[in-house]
Amino acid sequence: MTLARPHLPQEVGTPVPHADHVAVSFAPRPERAGQMREVVSAHLRLWDCAGLVAVAQLVTSELVTNAVLHGSGRSVHFRLARTDAELCIEVDDGSPGRPRVKNPGPDDESGRGMLLVDALAHRWGTSEDGTNTWCVLLLPMVDR
């Protein structure tokens, strides 16, 4: 696990089609994970990165679900950003608690989220204050 946050373009506010990032803030409610999966899918298709949709949706679901269930803020801030080589997914929940990879038993009904993120992401980490959890997926090497 890498704890340094990746360098990405600055957030500019409202989503712009074909921009290199999108940011969304929302109240922490259970349906938000599904809504953010749809945001991820739409933007990856716009960016010609459809091959990453399934993995990006899965890690998005895990990070947003953690924020909704364990965050202490009144809102959650989600950001999806693309560089020429990487896709970064960030979730800020206002909570200083850091997620950790667990080893759940076969009968445990939860506890696999960060295990999946750890297995699927190129790297992941948290901000120094613990409020932001992010992961990086590598983009396929096409025309780079």
Side-chain angles (χ1 to χ4, degrees), residues 26-41 56-69 76 78 89 91:
F26 50 85
R29 299 196 338 230
E31 65 270 18
R32 300 304 189 202
Q35 292 167 342
M36 292 305 101
R37 284 193 304 269
E38 293 305 314
V39 167
V40 166
S41 176
Q57 283 185 318
L58 180 56
V59 297
T60 294
S61 187
E62 297 304 334
L63 295 179
V64 171
T65 297
N66 278 353
V68 168
L69 293 178
V76 175
F78 173 82
I89 300 165
V91 178

Side-chain angles (χ1 to χ4, degrees), residues 35-106:
Q35 292 167 342
M36 292 305 101
R37 284 193 304 269
E38 293 305 314
V39 167
V40 166
S41 176
H43 279 81
L44 289 179
R45 291 177 201 291
L46 282 172
W47 295 335
D48 293 323
C49 299
L52 278 180
V53 169
V55 171
Q57 283 185 318
L58 180 56
V59 297
T60 294
S61 187
E62 297 304 334
L63 295 179
V64 171
T65 297
N66 278 353
V68 168
L69 293 178
H70 306 294
S72 60
R74 297 177 78 191
S75 65
V76 175
H77 308 284
F78 173 82
R79 185 164 185 252
L80 176 70
R82 174 191 64 151
T83 67
D84 63 338
E86 299 178 335
L87 181 73
C88 183
I89 300 165
E90 298 181 53
V91 178
D92 190 313
D93 64 9
S95 174
R98 296 176 193 271
R100 57 188 170 85
V101 177
K102 298 177 183 177
N103 287 316

